[in-house]
Amino acid sequence: LYESIGPILTEGGTLMQWSPHETRTLQTMLASPITQAELSPEKCAGLSQFLQGGSSPMVDLHQLASRHYYVDGSSASTSIKRLLKPTIDASDELKRLYGSPTYNGHNFTNFQWYQEDADGNAVDPYKLIEDFSSDETSSPIAHGGAAVAAYSDLVLGKVKEDVRKKTESSLLRYCELDTLAMVMIVQAWKDFLKE
């Protein structure tokens, strides 16, 4: 954990979240005796700066979207999963950035996030990973409920060894897309502000 977000403390930057879930999770982890045993008091104190009341609290993009953002096709929802596809539809910048197979992340290689259906509309990226995942597991992971169930099954040892790695890979892809979705929406917002 510290290796992932600790550098923001020294190098600068902003941690973003889409709902308070990440703040609550970090708060729970920092209160855990396991975390306290694994991290020095200085590292725990550093990470606590990202909590509400800290010097660099996480920015909740959901709050910004709820108060200041509407895009056609979202049905006025502020769910990241309901906003991503219509945001891509509305953003020439996202189409340019993600319209060729050049995305490389921790769990994707040369992936193209902007793809069009037969009518020329963006294909929902969550549908793309659902298709991707269905090749590997019996139940695709493309929404939060499936992710929670799959993670629970992994932790409780309910997954056979031959499916374990595939389920882990599918979960990691889902989590990466959730993070990338925040980045994409912020990129679109920045582009919309130029107009």
Side-chain angles (χ1 to χ4, degrees), residues 18-159:
W18 199 277
S19 83
H21 171 75
E22 285 81 4
T23 296
R24 286 191 304 266
T25 300
L26 180 58
Q27 196 168 24
T28 300
M29 289 176 69
L30 290 173
S32 162
I34 295 169
T35 302
Q36 292 173 3
E38 291 178 359
L39 294 178
S40 69
E42 294 79 21
K43 288 182 177 178
C44 286
L47 291 174
S48 69
Q49 293 179 41
F50 299 122
L51 300 173
Q52 287 303 108
S55 60
S56 301
M58 286 185 237
V59 173
D60 187 347
L61 296 175
H62 181 255
Q63 285 184 5
L64 287 172
S66 296
R67 294 177 184 158
H68 307 288
Y69 183 57
Y70 172 81
V71 63
D72 285 339
S74 67
S75 302
S77 173
T78 55
S79 159
I80 196 166
K81 287 156 192 69
R82 297 287 299 274
L83 283 178
L84 182 58
K85 180 192 173 300
T87 299
I88 293 171
D89 278 332
S91 172
D92 290 335
E93 179 70 359
L94 293 184
K95 292 172 186 172
R96 184 186 68 77
L97 290 170
Y98 299 99
S100 59
T102 55
Y103 176 81
N104 292 296
H106 293 286
N107 304 286
F108 298 92
T109 304
N110 298 326
F111 199 76
Q112 183 172 337
W113 286 109
Y114 173 64
Q115 298 180 29
E116 292 183 350
D117 63 18
D119 297 324
N121 296 311
V123 175
D124 186 340
Y126 287 94
K127 176 69 175 140
L128 294 174
I129 65 164
E130 184 176 290
D131 294 344
F132 199 114
S133 298
S134 64
D135 294 340
E136 297 190 356
T137 62
S138 56
S139 54
I141 300 171
H143 60 85
V148 169
Y151 181 75
S152 176
D153 288 348
L154 285 174
V155 170
L156 297 174
K158 294 181 177 180
V159 178

